Amino acid sequence: MSLETAVLVGVMFSVATYLVLQRSFVRILFGFLILTNAANLVLLAMSGRPDGKRGPVVLDPSAPMVDPLPQALILTAIVIGFGVAAYLVFLLYRLFLDQKTTNAADLYEEPESNS
Amino acid sequence: MNWPVAPILLPLFTALAALFWGRPGVGRRSLVAGSAAAQLAVSLGLVCATLEGRIFVLGLGAWPARFGIVLVVDLLSALMLALSTLVALASVLYAYAESPTRAEHPLRAPLTQFLVMGINLTFCTGDLFNLFVAFEIMLIASYALLTLEADDWDIKHAFPYVGINLFGSALFLSACGLTYALFGTLNFAQIALRAAPCADDPRLWVLALLLIVVFGIKAGLFPLYYWLPNSYPTLPIPTSALFAGMLTKVGVYVLLRIFGTVLPHELAFAHTLLAVMGGATMLLAVMGAIARNFIRGILSFHILSQIGFMVLAIGLFTPLSVAACILYIIHHIVVKSSLFLIGGVAMRLNGTDDLERMGNLWKRTPWLGALFLCQALSLAGLPPLSGFWGKYLIVVAGLEQAQYALVAVSILASILTLFSMVKIWNGAFWTGSDRVPVRTSDWRWRAMTAVVAGLTCVSLAIGLGAEGVVQIAIEAAERLLDQHAYADAALGFLGKTAANPIP
Amino acid sequence: MSGLRSYIFKAAVRLLFFLVNVFALYLLLRGHNLPGGGFIAGLASAIALVLLSLAIGLEELHRVMRFDPMRMAAAGLAMAAVTGAAPLLFGRPFLEHFDAHLTGLPLLGELHVGTALAFDIGVFLVVVGIACKIMFALGKSTQRLRALVAEEERRYSAPVEQPIEEEPPIRAATNPSTPSPHVS
């Protein structure tokens, strides 16, 4: 279970890094979303193996409980990620409206006349 | 017992009141300025109380330690709080002097207060995940401020800033997860106790490297600093002074806290890495400053170069060098903010901040020139100004450790700093053709200069009263490095509050 | 634009709007001890508003529901902050919550109430406000409406610019694009 999670996290981080380094705004946005989720998954993996444990909210004292703290942390991280993702969408949208391009490489090209 | 939360709640309620108030007016301005002054007063009170040896600890919501979050204010935190609220007050007053109420953006005051709240929470917190939350409050407020008044040229430069900080946040979150897996806690004091026996564990080294990358991004260390010099000059002047003074120093503070108080002191490889990164940062950034040709660009690179000094001091990692780092932070926050503000006054007088088109300021406004000279030479480290003492202590600590190469680099960087400061001096103040206009017709630049003069007085006091400030810095460094005292204080209160848990 | 042109959708949304909101209220009230709480309830409620906006259009929505999402979020934040700070008055730690078990109430019988509920309502308001602000601003912008209505414009829009520089700055020349549309 831990190994699979570790591999998944690794794949997600590499996919995210690849996407963030692309030029298209949409890919960059998806890259950051995957990045946030990869980090959340790391946190989730830290509550240990979930086999045979009950969730921290089910009122059934017979089984041992999963560590609730990482889940609380993830909830916070998701909320923060939600806000930041919304900001990023707006930033990219505003860049698109201003610069009339969805290519990140076009943004930082200095026009010949000025440089 | 609730004092540590005051520097966080005051900006929060001020921001909310300002948000409800709507359009800026004299009433809203006085409210925000009064609150900023009250924050400074509370922080100074905390400094006085912690100077006597007290450590303020507050368990939020009266939860026991493993679930709850503690706020801890020791001497270093209190000093940082005082500095951040001082710079915030100066920035607020400068903004009022700079523009009339009808030209003020209505969201700037609330966002600035949210930013101050995030910064103050960073200094107060005693919990790694809460530190993450504090960083995010600070960063989201800073994203918003960066794009609030940006035109379509400026906004392009917000994107790298946002991007790298998002990456840093994801890595920080992973570091939190790793810490929790290793130690089963996120409380600084508990981590310190549990990490002490496993200094040789490679997993701890991974954690240390991860944290260096995360906070290196925030502080602007050598391979990770490209986002800063282009994004800061796009900000309005008062906000850029606050950013320049505080945001990167938050990264340095957290590095100090993590390597001084939380992680074991035996991580020699991490300290060496920090020292080398600091040396590279100071040299490369100062070269970037020399290549720039407008005031805010030069000053932005100088932030990085000075960060190099502080991180080098952390990397040397002796009690003396940590004290030097704290002294340097105290000096640097005041000097750098006031230099940005002076640059703003000069920009207003000349109508531009391109050094080619500036000039004649010394002839028309000698007082402004004197303030600039004072702060610029302090930045370069000329005695008896405040910058000299920090650099002197760092050099002494470096020589004690026989790090001759790094000492040589730091002296070279100081000389180059002086060179680029002289460049601003020549370009903006000393020379200039007769065609360069200096507009001194309205009264606003005088009010702006008065704010800067206040900050310069603080800086001069630090330089001339160096004896006392050095004593405070040494005291703060000793307490920072005393992990057991910190852990005792932060965990000792639990006995009192654990008696009243929520069912 | 006045929303999607499907009568089935429009009719269904009128019903769904109330159902989803009642569900949001249920999530809000059962939070704290059971799955639920202010954040999820706020998102559910915001989704109901988005559905309504799809059915009747953003302008019509603003006409029937006059609220400023920013003020709603600020009110929620204030409520949460005040709930957190109230224990300070009694010398208790920040954010401490208290609860009470009330019995013999008319109509309700037994009731377990806590200050955490007030905090959650604050969170609920913040989330509804912010989510509405995000989605409506994007929606308006893509439909070429002004991002801020007149009232919000008075409160939050940038003032008339006071140029500091006499001559146009060089960097303005790097971007020959047309004046930017209104985006918040």
Side-chain angles (χ1 to χ4, degrees):
Chain A
M1 194 58 200
S2 325
L3 184 65
E4 288 93 321
T5 317
V7 171
L8 182 58
V9 166
V11 169
M12 282 173 80
F13 261 110
S14 41
V15 167
T17 314
Y18 174 77
L19 284 175
V20 166
L21 295 176
Q22 295 293 299
R23 292 182 169 188
S24 151
F25 280 176
V26 178
R27 291 190 183 190
I28 292 173
L29 179 64
F30 284 166
F32 280 120
L33 294 181
I34 294 176
L35 190 68
T36 318
N37 284 319
N40 288 343
L41 197 58
V42 174
L43 268 186
L44 186 65
M46 293 312 159
S47 58
R49 297 167 66 90
D51 326 346
K53 292 181 184 168
R54 66 190 164 93
V57 285
V58 182
L59 300 172
D60 167 27
S62 59
M65 196 170 75
V66 169
D67 189 350
L69 191 70
Q71 307 199 1
L73 301 186
I74 290 173
L75 189 59
T76 315
I78 288 175
V79 175
I80 292 173
F82 168 68
V84 174
Y87 177 83
L88 192 65
V89 169
F90 269 85
L91 181 65
L92 291 176
Y93 184 58
R94 163 91 192 258
L95 281 172
F96 164 66
L97 288 182
D98 283 352
Q99 319 285 340
K100 307 276 184 292
T101 176
T102 55
N103 187 339
D106 288 352
L107 291 182
Y108 303 100
E109 256 176 19
E110 291 288 322
E112 295 298 319
S113 58
N114 254 321
S115 54
Chain B
M1 81 191 265
N2 271 312
W3 282 112
V5 89
I8 302 157
L9 278 186
L10 278 175
L12 173 61
F13 282 116
T14 316
L16 287 172
L19 207 53
F20 275 114
W21 204 299
R23 299 300 301 181
V26 178
R28 201 179 97 154
R29 284 192 163 188
S30 4
L31 172 82
V32 174
S35 161
Q39 291 160 28
L40 180 60
V42 168
S43 309
L44 287 177
L46 283 172
V47 172
C48 291
T50 47
L51 210 50
E52 291 162 8
R54 278 187 71 180
I55 295 183
F56 290 88
V57 182
L58 172 65
L60 294 183
W63 285 90
R66 190 158 175 271
F67 305 110
I69 293 165
V70 285
L71 299 185
V72 184
V73 175
D74 64 355
L75 182 53
L76 178 60
S77 308
L79 283 173
M80 298 301 291
L81 282 175
L83 289 166
S84 75
T85 46
L86 173 71
V87 172
L89 179 64
S91 151
V92 164
L93 292 179
Y94 183 92
Y96 294 169
E98 188 184 33
S99 55
T101 47
R102 65 187 151 73
E104 184 187 336
H105 197 292
L107 290 178
R108 196 204 271 180
L111 283 172
T112 310
Q113 292 298 316
F114 279 128
L115 181 73
V116 173
M117 172 193 166
I119 294 172
N120 287 353
L121 185 58
T122 314
F123 296 146
C124 288
T125 187
D127 183 281
L128 196 62
F129 192 78
N130 196 230
L131 183 69
F132 170 75
V133 175
F135 262 62
E136 290 302 315
I137 295 175
M138 182 178 89
L139 286 174
I140 292 173
S142 74
Y143 301 154
L145 279 170
L146 201 60
T147 46
L148 186 66
E149 292 163 80
D151 59 24
D152 50 6
W153 189 86
D154 293 341
I155 208 152
K156 288 196 295 192
H157 294 288
F159 179 59
Y161 177 84
V162 174
I164 189 133
N165 277 309
L166 279 177
F167 223 97
S169 299
L171 289 181
F172 194 178
L173 211 52
S174 312
C176 285
L178 188 57
T179 313
Y180 189 70
L182 280 178
F183 306 117
T185 178
L186 291 165
N187 185 300
F188 282 169
Q190 280 182 318
I191 297 173
L193 292 181
R194 294 183 190 174
C198 48
D200 297 329
D201 194 329
R203 290 175 297 175
L204 191 63
W205 300 355
V206 173
L207 179 64
L209 285 176
L210 206 50
L211 290 173
I212 287 180
V213 173
V214 171
F215 302 125
I217 289 174
K218 315 282 172 189
L221 279 181
F222 154 55
L224 310 164
Y225 69 51
Y226 73 92
W227 53 270
L228 191 146
N230 287 328
S231 61
Y232 277 23
T234 63
L235 285 160
I237 291 290
T239 319
S240 73
L242 185 58
F243 274 48
M246 294 317 301
L247 288 195
T248 45
K249 259 58 70 182
V250 168
V252 177
Y253 162 82
V254 178
L255 279 175
L256 259 183
R257 175 66 71 200
I258 294 286
F259 283 96
T261 309
V262 180
L263 295 180
H265 290 175
E266 291 86 24
L267 294 169
F269 82 98
H271 302 150
T272 316
L273 181 65
L274 276 177
V276 173
M277 282 166 87
T281 311
M282 69 174 93
L283 199 59
L284 293 172
V286 85
M287 287 175 178
I290 291 172
R292 284 287 178 103
N293 208 23
F294 59 105
I295 291 182
R296 287 181 292 174
I298 294 175
L299 291 177
S300 297
F301 264 114
H302 275 300
I303 301 173
L304 296 169
S305 161
Q306 311 289 321
I307 291 290
F309 279 93
M310 298 171 210
V311 175
L312 169 66
I314 301 176
L316 293 172
F317 212 74
T318 59
L320 182 66
S321 78
V322 172
C325 178
I326 295 170
L327 183 63
Y328 209 97
I329 293 177
I330 297 174
H331 137 77
H332 177 80
I333 288 176
V334 179
V335 167
K336 183 53 80 182
S337 314
S338 54
L339 273 176
F340 263 86
L341 296 180
I342 292 172
V345 182
M347 246 176 84
R348 189 183 177 89
L349 292 174
N350 270 161
T352 171
D353 76 339
D354 182 356
L355 285 177
E356 303 271 316
R357 295 185 288 152
M358 296 180 77
N360 290 339
L361 289 175
W362 175 254
K363 256 186 273 174
R364 302 287 300 274
T365 57
W367 280 105
L368 187 66
L371 292 178
F372 174 78
L373 208 55
C374 183
Q375 299 299 59
L377 295 182
S378 176
L379 192 74
L382 260 64
L385 298 165
S386 58
F388 169 72
W389 304 104
K391 285 188 176 163
Y392 172 72
L393 282 186
I394 291 174
V395 167
V396 168
L399 290 178
E400 272 179 7
Q401 296 274 306
Q403 299 282 1
Y404 301 113
L406 288 170
V407 169
V409 165
S410 71
I411 292 173
L412 181 62
S414 301
I415 295 169
L416 292 177
T417 307
L418 186 61
F419 171 74
S420 64
M421 285 295 139
V422 168
K423 191 168 128 185
I424 298 183
W425 171 255
N426 276 337
F429 289 90
W430 197 241
T431 60
S433 65
D434 294 334
R435 287 183 291 116
V436 177
V438 179
R439 278 173 297 172
T440 50
S441 48
D442 65 348
W443 56 274
R444 293 200 169 269
W445 74 273
R446 289 179 202 278
M448 287 148 75
T449 313
V451 176
V452 182
L455 273 184
T456 311
C457 287
V458 175
S459 164
L460 276 179
I462 294 171
L464 298 178
E467 177 75 32
V469 184
V470 170
Q471 284 306 323
I472 293 176
I474 289 176
E475 183 82 28
E478 274 172 9
R479 299 212 198 134
L480 177 81
L481 295 174
D482 189 352
Q483 296 183 326
H484 284 286
Y486 182 89
D488 285 347
L491 298 176
F493 93 106
L494 290 174
K496 279 176 269 170
T497 50
N500 188 14
I502 303 290
Chain C
M1 201 154 133
S2 59
L4 298 179
R5 287 202 186 145
S6 153
Y7 287 105
I8 299 176
F9 181 71
K10 283 186 182 176
V13 162
R14 269 153 224 255
L15 182 64
L16 269 180
F17 177 70
F18 290 102
L19 271 181
V20 175
N21 268 326
V22 167
F23 181 62
L25 204 61
Y26 168 70
L27 281 176
L28 172 66
L29 290 177
R30 86 196 281 261
H32 199 60
N33 285 332
L34 288 167
F39 182 69
I40 302 169
L43 282 184
S45 191
I47 285 170
L49 280 168
V50 168
L51 270 181
L52 195 63
S53 79
L54 284 179
I56 65 175
L58 285 164
E59 284 160 316
E60 178 71 7
L61 180 73
H62 183 257
R63 206 179 58 75
V64 291
M65 302 199 151
R66 299 204 146 269
F67 73 98
D68 175 354
M70 288 281 281
R71 292 215 153 186
M72 192 170 184
L77 190 56
M79 187 163 175
V82 166
T83 317
L88 300 187
L89 299 178
F90 310 106
R92 302 291 309 168
F94 178 62
L95 278 178
E96 186 169 7
H97 288 293
F98 304 92
D99 53 347
H101 197 81
L102 307 175
T103 49
L105 290 174
L107 252 62
L108 294 170
E110 290 187 27
L111 198 58
H112 194 80
V113 290
T115 50
L117 182 63
F119 191 86
D120 255 358
I121 293 173
V123 173
F124 173 81
L125 290 177
V126 171
V127 175
V128 175
I130 295 296
C132 285
K133 181 78 198 161
I134 291 169
M135 291 188 276
F136 291 165
L138 260 188
K140 282 177 187 173
S141 178
T142 49
Q143 293 174 22
R144 303 197 175 276
L145 301 170
R146 290 180 73 84
L148 302 176
V149 296
E151 198 173 44
E152 293 172 299
E153 191 116 331
R154 259 204 317 284
R155 284 182 195 140
Y156 310 120
S157 68
V160 197
E161 295 217 342
Q162 279 211 324
I164 293 177
E165 315 203 7
E166 270 182 341
E167 52 200 312
I170 295 174
R171 64 189 195 197
T174 60
N175 178 28
S177 70
T178 49
S180 60
H182 300 280
V183 192
S184 73

